[in-house]
Structures are given as C-alpha cells and as structure tokens.
Amino acid sequence: MAQSGPQVILISGARKGIGRALVEHYLGQGHVVVGCSRRESDLRHDGYTHYCLDVADEAAVQEMFSDVAVESARLDVLINNAGIASMNHVLLTSTAKAKEIIDTNFIGTFLMCREAARLMKKNRFGRIVNVASVATPLKLEGEAVYAASKAAVISFTQVVAKELASFGITVNAIGPTPIDTDLIKSVPREKLDQLINLQAIKRAGTFSDVTNLIDFLIRPESDFITGQVIFLGGV
Amino acid sequence: MADRERIEQAVYRAVDELNKQLPKGVAVNKSPDAVLYGKTGKLESLDVVTLIMEVEDQIKAEFGASITIADDRAMSQENSPFLTVGSLTDYVAELLN
C-alpha cells in the first residue's frame, strides 16, 4: 500500500546527468532519496544518502539494499538510470567493451530490480522505472551493443511487470531522446541532429521531460499501468 | 557445519512470515511433514516464491550467508526440495554445509 508523506526513492547513476537531475527533483519534493554511482557524489543534503558502487556488483548492491531495509524499512520507488554507452562500429567493438555495456545496462538493471522487489514486496507497493533508450526502436548504427542492451531492458521490464504485478509493484520503462549529458558527449553534432530529425517532435530532450514522465509513472494513482515502454519525442 | 536446529528455526521464521501474507484460512504448519507444494500442497506457486525468498533472508540474518535456493541444482533433484518444510530444511542444510 502506498505510504502517505515522503517516499523512499532509490536512483542509480545518481552522480550526474539525468540521475543527478532526478535526485535533486525528488529531494526538492521532500522525499528521502538514496543514490548510487561508481564515483562519489558532491551532493550534500539531509535527505540524501549516496553509495559508491558498480550496479553489476551483486554483493555491493545487496549491501546497499540491506542498509535501506535497516534505515528506512521500505522502498517505494526504484529508478534504474545507470547506463553506459560506447559508440563504435560493430567490427571495431571489443568483447570487453560489449560485456561492460551489458553488465551495467542489463545485469545492473536485473540486480537492482530483484533486490528492490524483495523489499517492496513486504509493503505490497512499489514503482520501478527502467531507463531504456530510443537507440533501440531507431536501430541506430554505431550503437549496436548499446541498443541491444537497452532492448534487453525493455524485454525484461515487460516480463517482470507480469511477475511482480500481484505484489503491487509496477514496472515500466522510459526511452529518453538525446539529452545534453556526458553519455552523448562523444556523439558528433551532425549525428545528433539526424537522430532528432527521426523524432515526431524535433528538439533535444530536457531533464524536465524525463522527470515529468517518471512523476506520472510513480504516482500511487498509476497502479494500473505496468509493463509499458514510453519513448519521448514521438519515437 | 551449520547447526541443524538453527536452520530449522530460520525456516520456521520464514514460514511465519509467509503465513502473515497468506489468505485467511490458509497456513503452513511449522513441522517437517507440512506439505508445501504438489498435489496435496496448499500453496500457489507465488507463495512458494515468497517462502523461498523469506528462507534466503532468514538464513542470511542467522548465518550471514547468501544462498540461492531455487537454482538448476534444486530443480534437477529427483525429489524436489520444495515438497515439504522438512525437505526444504534438508536442502538448505545441504547448501550451507
């Protein structure tokens, strides 16, 4: 059952980019926010706790969730935002890089969902939002492994939504368009413009486009919406 | 070697947690013969998932050990470890030792 008052929200990839924007957005609404990323965050706030970890490191992820269980005794929302990209032609992509992308983007999402759901289940309420990408439906050249890793996130979201529905947990995915973050800093301007031209609404995304959609998906009233993938920009 | 009685008590605590979540009138007894799953079992498959998860949590709390109960090994056993409370306890003891 949804708790009244501040919710406990866990966000991965919280140090910068979309994750950081989400942390600040939900702290601003008075929620308790737990963030994680591979490196330390410079954010200091009474309502914020940061963990330095790799989302694909099972022991570290489990330890973080044990702490959340002890500190807050519940988790209301998980936003699986941590992700890495590496733009390269498939013929030039190393196995090590492919594994790294799959580990962070998919295995990390799997682990975080599993541990979060175990905690959410006790309260029979939970909202999980996985961050996919428009790279999957747009089948972007140069992003083969990244797009495949996000395709895995989409399939996973759709199946897990069914497996967790009876526990009061919804699982949805969002597919942001390019937003000016470190993730796309190595993508040439011309490529980004081509990509934006494939959208129905031809502009770059903003952090508030993402927070608006996540706000909607995590509302207690959105308890009849699960297994959905919503792409921004009309992709 | 992990103490058999401590394992049994941990499994019983998991049964308590499960029973809190079951519909009225449905409960698993805390005895080795209590049937969990199968033709005469009272539990739905999701209840078994809940019980296994609770047992993993209780074992971690009691022994500090992370175990995965429902893996390929468990599924391929000739006699399923998920038939009774006793068979589940035996299987957990086997995993811990």
Side-chain angles (χ1 to χ4, degrees):
Chain A
M1 171 177 240
Q3 303 277 333
S4 54
Q7 297 208 313
V8 182
I9 300 177
L10 201 158
I11 300 167
S12 69
R15 187 174 69 88
K16 58 185 184 174
I18 295 174
R20 173 66 176 248
L22 288 166
V23 169
E24 291 176 3
H25 176 73
Y26 290 115
L27 284 174
Q29 292 183 356
H31 298 297
V32 174
V33 180
V34 178
C36 65
S37 63
R38 281 180 293 189
R39 283 192 269 165
E40 190 55 72
S41 170
D42 61 4
L43 182 66
R44 300 287 176 265
H45 188 287
D46 286 345
Y48 184 65
T49 309
H50 191 86
Y51 289 84
C52 281
L53 56 81
D54 177 344
V55 288
D57 179 341
E58 185 170 30
V61 168
Q62 285 179 326
E63 203 178 317
M64 174 175 67
F65 277 94
S66 293
D67 281 1
V68 173
V70 170
E71 293 292 322
S72 305
R74 71 176 217 265
L75 177 67
D76 302 299
V77 177
L78 167 68
I79 304 170
N80 273 312
N81 163 72
I84 55 171
S86 172
M87 199 167 170
N88 207 344
H89 194 284
V90 67
L91 297 178
L92 305 177
T93 302
S94 70
T95 306
K97 180 53 79 177
K99 281 184 174 166
E100 190 189 340
I101 293 170
I102 296 290
D103 274 353
T104 300
N105 296 1
F106 174 62
I107 300 295
T109 298
F110 152 71
L111 268 178
M112 297 280 287
C113 281
R114 188 188 70 192
E115 296 304 313
R118 290 177 84 122
L119 195 46
M120 290 169 170
K121 182 180 174 301
K122 292 182 193 295
N123 208 25
R124 300 197 74 77
F125 175 84
R127 297 277 180 271
I128 296 176
V129 179
N130 295 326
V131 177
S133 167
V134 295
T136 302
L138 292 179
K139 299 168 178 59
L140 297 180
E141 289 168 63
E143 304 263 8
V145 179
Y146 176 73
S149 73
K150 293 297 191 178
V153 168
I154 290 171
S155 268
F156 180 75
T157 299
Q158 290 165 331
V159 177
V160 170
K162 290 185 177 181
E163 293 188 1
L164 298 181
S166 62
F167 302 126
I169 301 169
T170 67
V171 191
N172 293 288
I174 64 163
T177 60
I179 295 177
D180 188 19
T181 66
D182 282 356
L183 192 84
I184 60 163
K185 68 182 177 195
S186 61
V187 182
R189 184 72 247 170
E190 187 194 320
K191 274 268 175 200
L192 285 177
D193 289 341
Q194 284 172 9
L195 207 164
I196 287 169
N197 261 324
L198 297 171
Q199 299 166 195
I201 302 166
K202 299 183 195 314
R203 68 163 172 83
T206 63
F207 291 137
S208 66
D209 294 324
V210 176
T211 52
N212 173 55
L213 178 53
I214 296 180
D215 280 350
F216 168 69
L217 291 172
I218 69 175
R219 291 168 56 184
E221 296 83 355
S222 295
D223 60 353
F224 204 44
I225 302 167
T226 196
Q228 303 305 303
V229 186
I230 301 177
F231 294 104
L232 287 165
V235 170
Chain B
M1 190 170 174
D3 186 324
R4 166 83 195 187
E5 201 180 318
R6 280 172 67 200
I7 297 170
E8 193 171 68
Q9 290 308 313
V11 172
Y12 287 170
R13 283 194 294 277
V15 169
D16 284 337
E17 289 300 320
L18 171 72
N19 284 339
K20 285 182 203 166
Q21 299 172 48
L22 291 176
K24 266 192 176 169
V26 183
V28 173
N29 290 330
K30 288 189 282 183
S31 92
D33 313 333
V35 178
L36 296 173
Y37 203 53
K39 282 179 188 161
T40 55
K42 304 170 189 170
L43 300 182
E44 303 283 337
S45 57
L46 275 182
D47 302 330
V48 178
V49 170
T50 296
L51 177 62
I52 291 169
M53 196 189 85
E54 294 292 350
V55 171
E56 288 177 354
D57 287 350
Q58 292 295 339
I59 292 296
K60 187 162 189 194
E62 181 69 27
F63 298 99
S66 288
I67 56 167
T68 300
I69 296 172
D71 59 7
D72 293 347
R73 193 173 142 209
M75 303 306 178
S76 62
Q77 302 268 308
E78 202 171 317
N79 297 311
S80 168
F82 309 122
L83 287 178
T84 64
V85 169
S87 64
L88 180 58
T89 307
D90 290 342
Y91 188 66
V92 170
E94 201 182 309
L95 288 178
L96 283 174
N97 295 317

